[in-house]
């Protein structure tokens, strides 16, 4: 009996020591992405999700500065070349599951775009079983520590044989 798609996975863990290196990680990650990919970013406030998304935008070569879309919920960044557009979503203010996000038409955008969702856990998994989950952990409390532990997990057939080791630099 074949394992379900979500059972197929690739995973890597990285230590990121500065915001600049988080952007670099985003640029490297962009090299693995193609139209139809869903990337979910999770981590505490201030962990570096938007910084990583900014690097993704740079690596994908999209138009416009990638900034937190907290108040507009989603921004579309068209490609400056022949690559896919980046749809950057911040689901922090959304409480429900995919039903609450239906107005964003992410299911329509997914085939031709790279969709990056901050705070998407429990909200967008129904879009596709094949997705990349990026969890960023940082020290919490009164600290100026810039070190982040990043776990990148590829779920589904799309990511089963991906070489996520190329993200380490």
């Amino acid at each position: 009996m074949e394992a379900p798609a979500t059972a197929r996975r690739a995973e890597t863990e990285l230590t990121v020591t500065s915001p600049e290196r988080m952007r670099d990680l985003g640029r490297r990650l962009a090299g693995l992405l193609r139209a139809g990919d869903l990337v979910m970013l999770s981590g505490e406030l201030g962990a570096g999700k938007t910084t990583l998304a900014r690097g993704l935008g740079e690596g994908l070569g999209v138009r416009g500065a990638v900034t937190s879309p907290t108040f507009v919920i989603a921004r579309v960044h068209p490609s400056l070349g022949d690559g896919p557009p980046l749809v950057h979503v911040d689901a922090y203010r959304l409480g429900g599951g995919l039903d609450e996000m239906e107005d964003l038409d992410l299911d329509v955008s997914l085939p031709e775009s790279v969709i990056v969702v901050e705070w998407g856990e429990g909200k967008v998994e129904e879009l596709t079983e094949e997705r990349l989950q990026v969890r960023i952990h940082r020290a919490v409390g009164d600290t100026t520590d810039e070190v982040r532990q990043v776990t990148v997990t590829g779920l589904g057939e799309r990511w089963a044989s991906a070489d996520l080791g190329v993200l380490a630099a």
Side-chain angles (χ1 to χ4, degrees):
M1 184 171 178
E2 193 169 318
T6 54
R8 297 185 191 106
R9 62 176 16 189
E11 186 169 279
T12 191
E13 293 189 21
L14 309 157
T15 299
V16 177
T17 57
S18 70
E20 294 78 22
R21 293 203 186 263
M22 188 66 77
R23 276 176 83 163
D24 289 343
L25 174 59
R27 285 191 285 271
R28 288 192 306 276
L29 182 57
L32 297 176
L33 299 176
R34 63 183 185 215
D37 285 340
L38 171 65
V39 181
M40 294 172 44
L41 306 179
S42 63
E44 300 87 2
L45 284 170
K49 296 178 294 297
T50 302
T51 301
L52 180 70
R54 190 169 293 123
L56 283 169
E58 291 168 4
L60 289 170
V62 298
R63 185 178 73 215
V66 176
T67 59
S68 179
T70 299
F71 297 104
V72 294
I73 310 299
R75 282 196 176 97
V76 178
H77 297 274
S79 176
L80 292 172
D82 58 0
L86 171 68
V87 178
H88 183 206
V89 179
D90 186 331
Y92 182 74
R93 296 189 184 285
L94 302 178
L98 192 58
D99 290 343
E100 191 172 339
M101 298 187 74
E102 278 186 358
D103 289 342
L104 299 177
D105 287 332
L106 296 180
D107 55 336
V108 173
S109 300
L110 185 58
E112 69 270 356
S113 305
V114 169
I115 297 182
V116 176
V117 183
E118 297 185 35
W119 303 99
E121 286 185 339
K123 298 173 184 169
V124 296
E125 290 90 340
E126 295 173 31
L127 286 173
T128 179
E129 289 184 352
E130 299 189 336
R131 60 189 175 273
L132 200 61
Q133 293 180 314
V134 181
R135 290 187 173 90
I136 306 170
H137 300 282
R138 69 173 184 90
V140 293
D142 187 20
T143 179
T144 58
D145 189 359
E146 296 287 344
V147 175
R148 306 292 193 256
Q149 299 303 318
V150 180
T151 304
V152 181
T153 306
L155 300 171
E157 190 64 36
R158 157 79 173 100
W159 296 103
S161 59
D163 181 11
L164 297 180
V166 300
L167 299 176

